[in-house]
Amino acid sequence: MAFADNLPISESLGVFIGITGFDWLSEGQAEPLKAAVAAVAAGAIIAIARQLLKKRRQR
């Protein structure tokens, strides 16, 4: 299985839309840069966690 199969694209997109939507509803304007940074960070954490769990299962 390739590394690209484990990328959390849908989860990152969900975080981006969630943060953007929350900003828009609470402040009246969205900050896409802040949402993109948070989405990339969440995606990186999920990808790292998947790799660690995969290695743990193989033992």
Side-chain angles (χ1 to χ4, degrees):
M1 194 145 105
F3 179 73
D5 293 339
N6 291 328
L7 289 178
I9 294 174
S10 60
E11 291 91 342
S12 298
L13 185 61
V15 170
F16 176 78
I17 291 172
I19 292 174
T20 305
F22 182 78
D23 282 347
W24 184 44
L25 289 174
S26 65
E27 299 174 5
Q29 62 183 0
E31 296 182 30
L33 182 61
K34 181 177 80 170
V37 169
V40 168
I45 291 170
I46 293 170
I48 290 168
R50 285 181 181 174
Q51 289 294 333
L52 291 174
L53 290 173
K54 183 179 175 182
K55 286 180 183 179
R56 191 173 182 194
R57 282 188 218 129
Q58 290 178 352
R59 289 185 190 182

